[in-house]
Amino acid sequence: MKSTKDFWVQKSQGKKIVMVTAYDYPSAKQVEQAQADVILVGDSLGNVVLGYDSTIYVTMEDMLHHAKAVKRGAPNTFIVVDMPFMSYHLSVRDTLINGARLIQETGAHAVKLEGADDVLPHIKALVKAGIPVVAHLGLTPQSAAVLGGFKVQGKDAEAARKMLADVKLCQEAGAFAIVLECIPQQLAKEISRSLAIPTIGIGAGVHTDGQVLVYHDILTYGVNRAPKFVKSYTNADEQMTNALREYVSEVRSELFPNDQHSFTMKEEELKTLYGGRE
């Protein structure tokens, strides 16, 4: 089981951190078997698993439910859980209550919050209470409507300077790592160089201290299209759909089940059942 300190050591030694976003028991089990460093239970489960068109519909109960399943599937992997929309925006007290629930009720090891500015006091309060925090800047899906959609962030000098300032404030607030989503690779490189804490990139180029992708995107499982920054390593959809088609066909043609997949009774029991009739 890794700790926050281990991730700092990996950064200092130039060893990449591997994070995978997963949402349930079987996917978490596979990610642990693949020896990833971190599992993120992302609120992207709203899009990927629950069929919403936005993460803003994901609730605390959704996150608790899925994080518990992930913990059962990957008991020996460091787990980070997203704090969902409006669970850390009202008051620091609400943030602490919700953050504590995510840790206490799921067995996860850290929470993730999007944004800086008004979010900084919430990061500080969580860390002070003993809850490790991962920050998240760049494209922040919970704020996509305000940002003008799912677009690359920090593309001009002014926006880049603001992000450079924000990541340092997140570090000062106590975040032990930061996710950088959809930003130019040059900016991600400068941010990673300027911070003592690890950076985890998604659509941020190769120069971050680690990478994160969604389980379903990696495997092409249940996704219609993937963003530019995703690399698919297999096509599970195709394999699984073909297997299901074969099942449907065999049932309709009475090829399944056969004797191999059926149970039998002893002959003497059959005679008793039918009253001695042959």
Side-chain angles (χ1 to χ4, degrees):
M1 171 68 66
K2 293 197 171 181
S3 68
T4 55
K5 182 180 179 181
D6 291 318
F7 302 127
W8 297 333
V9 171
Q10 281 185 246
K11 177 184 175 80
S12 69
Q13 295 177 344
K15 296 179 179 179
K16 296 290 186 178
I17 299 165
V18 182
M19 177 185 282
V20 178
T21 302
Y23 314 106
D24 58 19
Y25 174 87
S27 60
K29 185 176 180 181
Q30 291 175 347
V31 173
E32 181 162 285
Q33 289 173 344
Q35 300 183 341
D37 298 303
V38 190
I39 293 177
L40 170 64
V41 187
D43 60 358
S44 51
L45 71 88
N47 307 87
V48 179
V49 175
L50 303 180
Y52 297 134
D53 61 4
S54 171
T55 61
I56 66 171
Y57 304 113
V58 177
T59 66
M60 274 290 297
E61 297 309 314
D62 291 330
M63 296 308 303
L64 290 164
H65 176 81
H66 285 269
K68 289 176 185 178
V70 167
K71 177 65 176 180
R72 290 191 290 268
N76 300 307
T77 302
F78 192 95
I79 297 171
V80 180
V81 184
D82 270 349
M83 295 194 70
F85 182 67
M86 296 307 293
S87 66
Y88 57 96
H89 301 84
L90 299 177
S91 70
V92 168
R93 181 177 184 276
D94 287 326
T95 299
L96 289 172
I97 290 171
N98 289 325
R101 288 193 68 195
L102 288 171
I103 297 298
Q104 288 181 316
E105 296 182 31
T106 71
H109 307 97
V111 298
K112 180 167 76 64
L113 284 68
E114 295 182 5
D117 299 321
D118 293 342
V119 176
L120 294 169
H122 301 258
I123 295 175
K124 288 180 181 178
L126 287 164
V127 173
K128 186 176 180 180
I131 299 175
V133 173
V134 176
H136 182 159
L137 288 177
L139 173 58
T140 47
Q142 292 177 14
S143 307
V146 176
L147 296 173
F150 293 89
K151 300 178 180 179
V152 177
Q153 303 296 307
K155 292 181 72 174
D156 61 69
E158 182 180 356
R161 279 193 293 269
K162 173 70 164 70
M163 199 174 300
L164 277 164
D166 284 344
V167 294
K168 291 174 182 176
L169 290 172
C170 288
Q171 177 175 265
E172 290 171 10
F176 76 89
I178 185 162
V179 169
L180 300 173
E181 181 169 357
C182 284
I183 67 171
Q185 59 180 328
Q186 300 94 327
L187 176 57
K189 182 178 182 179
E190 178 60 22
I191 289 172
S192 301
R193 186 197 63 77
S194 66
L195 294 180
I197 62 175
T199 58
I200 310 295
I202 177 166
V206 72
H207 300 294
T208 52
D209 301 304
Q211 298 291 329
V212 58
L213 282 179
V214 172
Y215 171 90
H216 296 68
D217 288 339
I218 295 169
L219 301 180
T220 315
Y221 171 35
V223 293
N224 295 323
R225 60 190 182 92
K228 176 183 178 179
F229 55 77
V230 167
K231 179 178 179 180
S232 172
Y233 288 80
T234 190
N235 193 326
D237 263 355
E238 185 176 290
Q239 297 174 44
M240 295 165 79
T241 302
N242 287 340
L244 289 165
R245 286 196 184 107
E246 188 174 355
Y247 163 69
V248 170
S249 174
E250 288 196 0
V251 169
R252 288 174 175 163
S253 59
E254 297 186 7
L255 292 174
F256 176 84
N258 57 25
D259 288 347
Q260 181 184 351
H261 305 101
S262 302
F263 303 98
T264 61
M265 290 178 67
K266 294 179 179 179
E267 287 297 323
E268 56 267 28
E269 298 298 333
L270 280 173
K271 290 178 180 179
T272 302
L273 175 65
Y274 295 121
R277 299 192 308 274
E278 294 296 331

